[in-house]
Amino acid sequence: MKIILVDDETKFINMLARRLSLRGLDADVAYSGEQALEKAAQTRYDIAVLDMKMPGMSGLALKNKLLKKLPDIKFIFVTGHGGVDKNGNSDLSEEIFLAKPLNIDTLIDTIQQQIHPHK
């Protein structure tokens, strides 16, 4: 399983990648949507963990672009700006959102559920 973590908060995302690595998960980091798209052109990722609000490109905009390159990729969104109102927004109704600060066990469980939904 290959994971890409995308967030403009470099310290946060580097720490998260290290913690996932310590748990045996292979995660790359990207600090912007553009950098994530460059990496996705060269690597087949199974799951993307995307910050909702990043300069230049939102998490949702990045999702739509990543799906064109990797149609089977799964997504988890993270937000540090409180809850997300999914009502009335069909783009958000099926999405998984986790609030910062992330609980590493919750993130890993969510990743496993996305990759293996019937376990």
Side-chain angles (χ1 to χ4, degrees):
M1 173 180 14
K2 189 77 173 170
I3 303 165
I4 186 164
L5 307 169
V6 187
D7 197 311
D8 60 310
E9 295 179 37
T10 58
K11 190 174 179 180
F12 165 75
I13 207 72
N14 289 333
M15 178 269 309
L16 190 60
R18 278 194 302 275
R19 293 183 74 189
L20 290 175
S21 176
L22 290 172
R23 301 286 187 98
L25 297 173
D26 188 11
D28 282 345
V29 298
Y31 307 115
S32 68
E34 291 79 11
Q35 191 178 37
L37 291 170
E38 290 172 11
K39 290 188 174 212
Q42 300 174 13
T43 303
R44 184 195 165 282
Y45 294 103
D46 300 297
I47 192 159
V49 179
L50 308 178
D51 186 21
M52 279 295 289
K53 293 189 177 183
M54 297 182 286
M57 187 183 311
S58 73
L60 282 177
L62 177 57
K63 173 197 168 188
N64 293 330
K65 292 185 179 198
L66 283 172
L67 279 173
K68 291 178 183 171
K69 295 178 182 279
L70 304 167
D72 296 327
I73 193 170
K74 308 290 186 197
F75 296 93
I76 297 170
F77 292 95
V78 296
T79 178
H81 303 279
V84 174
D85 182 10
K86 294 181 180 183
N87 293 331
N89 189 337
S90 60
D91 288 342
L92 302 178
S93 62
E94 302 291 322
E95 306 301 343
I96 296 172
F97 292 91
L98 298 176
K100 293 180 185 174
L102 285 177
N103 176 301
I104 193 71
D105 292 323
T106 300
L107 176 61
I108 290 171
D109 287 347
T110 305
I111 289 170
Q112 296 294 346
Q113 289 168 7
Q114 285 291 93
I115 298 298
H116 306 290
H118 302 295
K119 283 191 174 181

